[in-house]
Every structure is written in C-alpha cells, then in structure tokens.
C-alpha cells in the first residue's frame, strides 16, 4: 500500500474578477467580444508603455490570502519572467517570484479517510495572464495559429499547494472548496470560461514526479490525475522508470502527452520589474474584513436550521446553492428548514444534474411554494417530485410559467385524503364555477391547438414538455375538470390526426 501511495500537489491559476486588467485600464469583460479588441500599448507591450498596478486586484489577492490563512508578506515584488512564445507579446510575463504576496496557509477539506484534512499551501502570488492562441486544426498538425491578446494582462493569482493530497478525489475536493471560498469572497466567477486553470504535480511515492500542465476544467483535473496514476503505476509494474517531465493533458482524448519543451527555472532569467516599485501592504492588510466563509456558513446552517452535517456541506459548498437555500426557507424558517434541507440536497440537485441545468434557473419562490404544498399535506412526496419535474422541464424548454399549485391541480395530484373541497380554501383552480359538459373538452383542445402552434411544432419535434404545456392550457380552459387520463388520450389522438 505505502509503496503505491499517490502524492498530488496543485498549482491553481484563478482570474480575479476585476473590471480592468492588472497593469492598464482595458476592460476584462472580453469573452463576448471580437479578438484583440481589449488591448492598449501597455498590455500589447509596445515600447515605452508603462504598467500601473491595479489596486483592486491586490486587495482581492489579499482577501484570498487572509481567507486561506496565509501570511501576507508586507513587502513583495514583481519580476519579469522571460520566455519567447507567441501568446506573450512582451516576451516576458510580469509575475512575483522570490518575493510573493503571501506564504504558508492551508485549506481544510473532507479527507479520504473521513474527517477534516488540512492541505497546506506554499504561497500565493499575483501575475498577469498571457494571451490566448487559437489553433486552426490541431495544435500538432494545424497549418497556423491565431493569437488573441484580449486575455493578456488579466489579473491572476497562482495558489500553490504542498503535495498533501493522496488521491484524485482529494484534489477535486480541494478545488471545489477553493472555488467556493473564492466565490464567497466575491473575487472570482467560476462560470466564466477559462477562469480557473490547474497544473498538477503527481508521483507515486519513491518515484520521480510528473507535472501535468494546463488542465482547464474541474472535471479535467480528476480525469488527468486518474490517467497519470494508471500510466505511472503500469510503468513501475513493468519494472520501468517514471521520467521526470512535463506533460500536457489532452481534454478530448482524456490522456496526458509528453511535451518537448523542457524549460528550467534558470531559463526564465527572472529579474525585478524595473517599472514597478516594491509593493508595501502592511497598513492595508489589517483593514481587510472577510465575509462569512463556507465553513462558518456550514456550521451556521447546522445550528440555525438543523441541517444534517452532510447536507450542510453540500448546501454551503457552492455560494449560489447556499443563497438559494436561505431564500427558500426565508418565508417560514421554522417549518421549511428541514424540508428544504432534504428536498434540495436529495432531490433538486439530482434533477438539475440530470437536465444539465444550474440552480440559477430555479426561482426560489417556486420552490418555497412547492415545499408549502408538502408542508400542508396537500401532496405526497411522489406528487412533489412530479411537480418539481414539470417546473424544471418548463424552465428548460422556455414554456410559460406555472405555479406548483397550478401543476398540482392540472395533474390532479392533490391528495384524496385532504379535507373536502367545500370546507377548505378553494384551490387555485382558475375561474372556479361548475364544470363544463364533455363536448367543450374537445372544443378546448381545438382552441388550444389553434392558439399555440409553436407548442404543437415542439411536440412534433419530440419535446415532451410541449405536451404537458398543452395539457396545462386545456386544463385551464376546462377549469381543471377534465379527467387527466381521458384528456391525455384525446389530445394524443388529436395531435396524431393533425400530423397524419
Ligand atoms: Zn491594456
């Protein structure tokens, strides 16, 4: 076991979510614009242009350093890292080398052996992002590449960990926790493409270590590490040696490949950046106040709402999810907290993942209303899941909005054991009044199909949500009186007739 032990350390590059670049006033909001439209003499490295440090990015970096328990170094320094590559217009990158902004620190994750595990950090430094190469065809065989300097000069922090992780899973947990922390600090937006890139150092205890460069997605890290572990172990099993080298991860193929470039540290000819003075932050760092961070919020969810420890970890593991939970329970914390805890953690997240949807697509008010039906005993758990699925499908397919109570009535999900209708508040049945005779149901179908040609078209294309939508519209017209089974049959018949 011990000779097979996996050792992983990560170097994580995160783009700081500032408005302008690190050394010039160019906007960082470049993703939807054409190439080379967010550039100026400074970030293009034209002769004579002088960098001016963006104060906000240093403040963001210090927030991160404090949140990760690092020591902020009171005097740090920028250096030039020289190398020749087309993504680097100046032929050097301004970065921090022997005097980084912060050292030490740690991040706690849930370790493979259970319980909290501390992953130590080596340092955090500030640097500028290089430009981006767009290869025409494959990188190896394409005839040419294009370069876009919109990204050149975007502020980055590089967070370097000690080799404290023992599996790809721990690496994934480290990254998830790091991402959550950065989002809680409002310095980072994980939804922005390419905002986080990772280099991973990986070895089997007793052998040489391999650096896997430029992994650009969270999922990529775990996959790249799994591939490397298998590759290294099989070399060792066959009595071969693992070479110390740099490899690149090819996301599409899920493999790592040896890269020929073998720069050593001295190849970079680091020297202090002559156009920037050393950075003094002593009086500044003490004034930085941190917001509530994931661990504190998790504890609070357990104490304040009675969340189970596992669910609290899930709910607070993403800022958007934690905010969603609190918005949902806000109207009636005493009676909604526990329901929301289980329904979000056990049901909603799974249903969202299944549809590849994000939590942002769900209106907390809708979810509160759905939980209200469960709380009041109007529907069963099974009915609740049905309503949730319709809500999500409607959102995904951009169908008109329906309330959970409306869906409950349309699908006749109201529990039969509920008190007789006359004596309780009448459900939100649109219109009320007596039910129409059966014939009007056929008429309602014809009307609805005439009024919603787009939904009919969607149905033809196989969109299941469109059928539910049409049923909903007919139910509305018939004031919820049509028998759902019968209505399903009639509508299917009518649609098929029109198709033929
Ligand atoms: Zn610029």
């Amino acid at each position: 076991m011990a000779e097979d032990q996996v050792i992983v350390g990560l170097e994580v590059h995160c783009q700081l979510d500032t408005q302008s670049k690190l050394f010039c006033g160019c906007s960082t909001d470049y993703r939807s614009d054409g190439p080379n439209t967010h550039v100026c003499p400074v970030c293009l490295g034209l002769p004579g242009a002088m960098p001016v440090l963006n104060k906000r990015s240093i403040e963001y970096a210090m927030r991160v350093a404090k949140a990760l328990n690092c020591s902020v170094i009171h005097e740090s320094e920028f250096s030039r890292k020289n190398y020749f590559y087309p993504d680097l217009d100046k032929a050097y990158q301004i970065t921090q080398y022997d005097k980084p902004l912060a050292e030490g620190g740690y991040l706690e994750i849930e370790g493979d052996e259970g319980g909290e595990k501390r992953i130590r950090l080596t340092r955090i430094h500030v640097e500028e992002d290089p430009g981006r190469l767009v290869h025409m065809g494959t990188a190896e065989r394409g005839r040419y590449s294009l370069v876009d300097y919109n990204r050149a000069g975007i502020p980055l922090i590089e967070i370097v960990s000690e080799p404290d992780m023992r599996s790809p899973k721990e690496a994934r947990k480290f990254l998830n926790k790091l991402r959550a922390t950065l989002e809680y600090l409002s310095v980072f937006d994980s939804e922005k493409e390419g905002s986080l890139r990772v280099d991973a150092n990986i070895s089997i205890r007793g052998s040489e270590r391999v650096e896997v460069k430029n992994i650009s997605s969270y999922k990529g890290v775990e996959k790249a590490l799994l591939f490397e572990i298998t590759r290294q172990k099989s070399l060792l099993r066959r009595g071969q040696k693992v070479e110390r080298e740099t490899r690149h991860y090819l996301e599409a193929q899920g493999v790592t490949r040896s890269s020929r470039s073998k720069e050593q540290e001295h190849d970079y000819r680091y020297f202090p950046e002559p156009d920037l003075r050393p950075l003094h932050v002593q009086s500044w760092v003490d004034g930085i106040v941190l917001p509530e961070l994931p661990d504190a919020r998790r504890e609070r969810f357990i104490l304040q709402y009675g969340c189970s420890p596992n669910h609290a970890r899930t709910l607070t593991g993403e800022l958007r999810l934690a905010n969603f939970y609190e918005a949902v329970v806000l109207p009636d914390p005493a009676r909604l907290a526990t329901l929301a805890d289980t329904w979000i953690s056990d049901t909603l997240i799974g249903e969202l993942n299944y549809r590849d949807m994000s939590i942002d697509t769900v209106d907390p008010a809708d979810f509160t209303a759905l939980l209200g039906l469960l709380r009041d005993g109007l529907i069963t758990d099974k009915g609740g899941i049905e309503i949730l699925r319709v809500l999500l499908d409607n959102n995904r397919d951009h169908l008109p909005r329906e309330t959970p109570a409306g869906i409950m009535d349309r699908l006749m999900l109201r529990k039969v054991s509920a008190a007789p209708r006359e004596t309780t508040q009448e459900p939100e049945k649109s219109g009320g009044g007596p039910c129409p005779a059966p014939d009007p149901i056929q008429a309602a179908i014809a009307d609805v199909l005439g009024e919603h040609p787009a939904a009919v078209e969607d149905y033809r294309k196989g969109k299941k949500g469109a059928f539910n939508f049409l049923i909903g519209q007919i139910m509305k017209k018939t004031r919820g009186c049509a028998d759902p089974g019968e209505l399903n049959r009639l509508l299917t018949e009518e649609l098929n007739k029109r198709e033929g």
Side-chain angles (χ1 to χ4, degrees), residues 179-477:
R179 171 177 58 175
T181 306
L182 296 176
E183 291 199 323
Y184 275 63
L185 292 167
S186 313
V187 302
F188 173 71
D189 185 352
S190 67
E191 302 276 295
K192 287 187 179 162
E193 185 254 321
S195 57
L196 181 142
R197 275 119 52 202
V198 180
D199 298 340
N201 287 299
I202 174 159
S203 62
I204 310 296
R205 188 171 291 285
S207 294
E208 286 291 354
R209 101 182 124 89
V210 168
E211 185 177 20
V212 183
K213 279 221 170 273
N214 258 318
I215 312 169
S216 59
S217 72
Y218 299 92
K219 280 187 188 148
V221 174
E222 203 174 0
K223 281 193 196 148
L225 289 175
L226 280 170
F227 177 85
E228 257 312 290
I229 291 169
T230 312
R231 189 186 72 85
Q232 293 183 17
K233 281 188 177 171
S234 79
L235 281 176
L236 295 173
R237 244 197 319 271
R238 284 175 299 179
Q240 290 170 304
K241 270 177 64 181
V242 175
E243 298 286 338
R244 183 173 187 134
E245 62 176 343
T246 301
R247 298 177 72 87
H248 272 88
Y249 178 57
L250 306 174
E251 183 117 37
Q253 290 103 308
V255 301
T256 66
R257 186 158 300 160
S258 183
S259 44
R260 267 150 291 263
S261 76
K262 276 197 180 164
E263 279 115 346
Q264 304 275 314
E265 201 127 87
H266 61 256
D267 293 330
Y268 291 125
R269 291 170 292 117
Y270 282 98
F271 63 87
E273 164 62 61
D275 294 336
L276 290 165
R277 297 163 61 92
L279 182 62
H280 294 272
V281 295
Q282 185 153 21
S283 54
W284 190 7
V285 67
D286 299 329
I288 289 178
V289 182
L290 297 179
E292 185 181 47
L293 293 172
D295 287 342
R297 200 165 190 185
R298 187 177 80 215
E299 290 305 311
R300 182 165 68 75
F301 274 27
I302 295 171
L303 288 172
Q304 184 178 343
Y305 300 116
C307 291
S308 77
N310 268 342
H311 286 169
R313 192 186 286 279
T314 306
L315 292 171
T316 57
E318 244 181 84
L319 180 64
R320 289 173 173 85
L321 196 57
N323 289 344
F324 180 83
Y325 175 81
E326 294 215 87
V328 165
V329 302
L330 186 69
D332 184 8
R335 296 172 68 205
L336 289 175
T338 312
L339 264 179
D341 175 40
T342 50
W343 273 81
I344 295 173
S345 309
D346 295 340
T347 310
L348 176 61
I349 294 176
E351 294 287 335
L352 285 172
N353 288 343
Y354 174 72
R355 289 169 179 76
D356 202 17
M357 288 167 76
S358 102
I359 190 74
D360 298 335
T361 59
V362 188
D363 184 341
D366 281 344
F367 206 75
T368 304
L370 170 62
L371 296 183
L373 300 176
L374 288 155
R375 172 200 60 197
D376 298 340
L378 295 175
I379 49 172
T380 59
D381 283 0
K382 201 165 154 267
I385 291 173
E386 272 190 64
I387 294 173
L388 176 62
R389 287 179 179 160
V390 174
L391 268 180
L392 297 180
D393 288 344
N394 282 353
N395 289 352
R396 182 195 53 198
D397 300 335
H398 306 289
L399 293 172
R401 191 162 171 267
E402 287 180 280
T403 62
I407 300 168
M408 170 182 76
D409 285 336
R410 170 161 76 74
L411 301 181
M412 310 286 254
L413 292 169
R414 186 183 284 272
K415 256 203 247 176
V416 270
S417 59
R421 286 193 176 193
E422 296 78 40
T423 59
T424 54
Q425 299 143 303
E426 193 52 25
E428 297 163 38
K429 201 165 71 177
S430 26
C435 293
D439 273 4
I441 290 175
Q442 284 288 13
I445 292 176
D447 282 357
V448 166
L449 294 187
E451 286 161 19
H452 300 281
V456 176
E457 190 53 39
D458 281 349
Y459 169 80
R460 273 197 201 122
K461 287 182 196 148
K463 285 193 188 164
K464 203 170 159 271
F467 187 82
N468 290 336
F469 166 75
L470 290 169
I471 291 272
Q473 296 303 311
I474 299 161
M475 278 292 196
K476 218 187 253 176
K477 269 202 198 307

Side-chain angles (χ1 to χ4, degrees), residues 133-149:
L133 289 181
V134 183
H135 303 291
M136 294 292 112
T138 62
E140 292 84 14
R141 273 181 287 166
R143 293 188 49 212
Y144 60 95
S145 298
L146 298 170
V147 64
D148 178 7
Y149 290 120

Side-chain angles (χ1 to χ4, degrees), residues 99-164:
K99 289 185 177 174
L101 183 78
E103 290 175 336
Y106 61 87
L107 186 66
E108 279 182 341
I109 62 165
E110 187 191 12
D112 281 349
E113 281 147 34
E116 298 296 300
K117 174 170 178 178
R118 215 169 247 206
I119 308 296
R120 291 167 302 149
L121 304 178
T122 317
R123 59 188 266 156
I124 297 179
H125 67 254
V126 181
E127 63 187 24
E128 57 179 343
D129 213 346
R132 205 168 62 90
L133 289 181
V134 183
H135 303 291
M136 294 292 112
T138 62
E140 292 84 14
R141 273 181 287 166
R143 293 188 49 212
Y144 60 95
S145 298
L146 298 170
V147 64
D148 178 7
Y149 290 120
N150 281 351
R151 203 180 72 181
I154 299 285
L156 288 182
I157 44 172
E158 179 172 338
I159 299 165
V160 183
S161 88
E162 293 287 311
D164 284 351

